[in-house]
Amino acid sequence: MTLELFRIDDRLVHGQVVIGWGLPHALGFLVVVDDEIAAAPWEQELYRMGTPEGMEVRFATVDEAAAALPAYRADPRAGMLLTADITTMARLIEAAPSVAAVTIGGLHHRADRVPRLRFVFLSPAEAAALRALAARGVAIAAQDVPTSAPVPLEAVLAADGTE
Amino acid sequence: MTMSDGRAAVVAGHGAFAAGMVSAVARIVGEAHGLVPVDNEEGTPDTIAAAIARALDAAGATVCFTDLPAGSCTMAARRLARARPGLVIVTGASLPVLLAYATGGDVDAAVRAGQAALVATAPAA
């Protein structure tokens, strides 16, 4: 096992992550990549409180996570890396180009976003950022829980939220 | 808000968990139960926190029951608690928990009721 899932989700650690993905994938650790949370012990404690026994949560800045990716991958446990937004994931991939696939787990309604899927809303800038990631070879799909079918990026961008 | 013997509280959780739980409480003890549901259908951390805050304020409640310890509603409630030091958050809420609170208004007793109700019966030999 290794760090096998890279997920963008504005809720970061929550039920779908620790239960929906955590149980079937036997996740042993989560890596929350967020520059602000990495400097906020109170926020870190909040996420630790919500994590089940046996699942470790690590916190890292983008730079720290990029440097630590080989160590995450060498971990014998299954793991998931999380960012709350596309910008942070794009920064990580810029610093660590070995990331091959990213899942959009949840980006929800905001004033500048339009609906794409029930759980994916994107601004024009975010859509462009995802296209740029795809253009450099990163496989991108939207999938909230493991039992739902992954929706490839092109289908996400062609959707209007009425599915 | 009128209640039976309990106090006001907010119930928040995934999907229609809260509405379903509060509906079940009403079936058992009547409509004057004091529980206000907040359902989370694809909310953001900010919108969930705002919905819970509105419900707490509207009900004059200082207790929030949530479903999963790691759930978005629990995280949102814990964030709210930073600015509301008196807010009590009870995770893992179930129907026995909510019934005990709605009828007694005691958080500790409600938690005990939930723990006592959780029983697995072995199959008959």
Side-chain angles (χ1 to χ4, degrees):
Chain A
M1 305 300 277
T2 180
L3 180 67
E4 56 183 37
L5 300 162
F6 291 75
R7 177 179 172 100
I8 303 169
D9 189 330
D10 52 22
R11 300 158 295 184
L12 291 171
V13 179
H14 64 110
Q16 286 180 357
V17 169
V18 301
I19 305 292
W21 291 88
L23 294 182
H25 285 260
L27 294 181
F29 70 102
L30 305 174
V31 182
V32 174
V33 180
D34 188 292
D35 289 354
E36 288 185 16
I37 296 174
W42 188 91
E43 284 282 321
Q44 295 175 20
E45 182 57 24
L46 181 71
Y47 288 110
R48 284 198 181 94
M49 286 170 71
T51 308
E53 226 176 286
M55 187 181 289
E56 181 192 3
V57 191
R58 302 177 184 183
F59 301 90
T61 65
V62 170
D63 291 341
E64 289 167 348
L69 266 185
Y72 299 151
R73 287 182 169 131
D75 195 304
R77 301 168 299 174
M80 176 187 281
L81 182 148
L82 292 147
T83 70
D85 53 56
I86 295 165
T87 302
T88 304
M89 187 63 80
R91 286 176 54 213
L92 176 68
I93 293 171
E94 186 66 37
S98 59
V99 176
V102 169
T103 299
I104 306 168
L107 289 170
H108 295 88
H109 178 266
R110 209 172 62 186
D112 61 335
R113 288 175 174 163
V114 296
R116 298 297 187 177
L117 303 176
R118 172 180 47 78
F119 59 95
V120 179
F121 294 65
L122 297 172
S123 71
E126 288 173 323
L130 289 172
R131 282 196 179 96
L133 284 177
R136 63 185 298 166
V138 180
I140 298 172
Q143 186 179 21
D144 55 352
V145 291
T147 49
S148 68
V151 181
L153 178 61
E154 284 312 312
V156 172
L157 296 178
D160 61 3
T162 59
E163 98 291 10
Chain B
M1 176 172 292
T2 46
M3 290 168 283
S4 49
D5 294 322
R7 294 178 299 182
V10 168
V11 183
H14 290 81
F17 168 85
M21 281 288 168
V22 173
S23 166
V25 170
R27 286 295 181 98
I28 296 168
V29 300
E31 294 292 340
H33 46 68
L35 303 177
V36 180
V38 173
D39 286 334
N40 171 27
E41 300 283 359
E42 299 296 344
T44 68
D46 288 344
T47 61
I48 298 167
I52 293 173
R54 280 195 303 273
L56 288 167
D57 292 341
T62 58
V63 178
C64 181
F65 293 96
T66 65
D67 51 3
L68 277 180
S72 304
C73 291
T74 305
M75 306 298 263
R78 286 182 176 143
R79 282 206 172 81
L80 282 177
R82 292 187 83 181
R84 298 171 184 241
L87 180 61
V88 176
I89 301 162
V90 182
T91 63
S94 64
L95 186 54
V97 170
L98 297 174
L99 283 170
Y101 187 79
T103 56
D106 184 312
V107 168
D108 292 335
V111 170
R112 286 196 300 273
Q115 291 167 337
L118 194 59
V119 176
T121 304

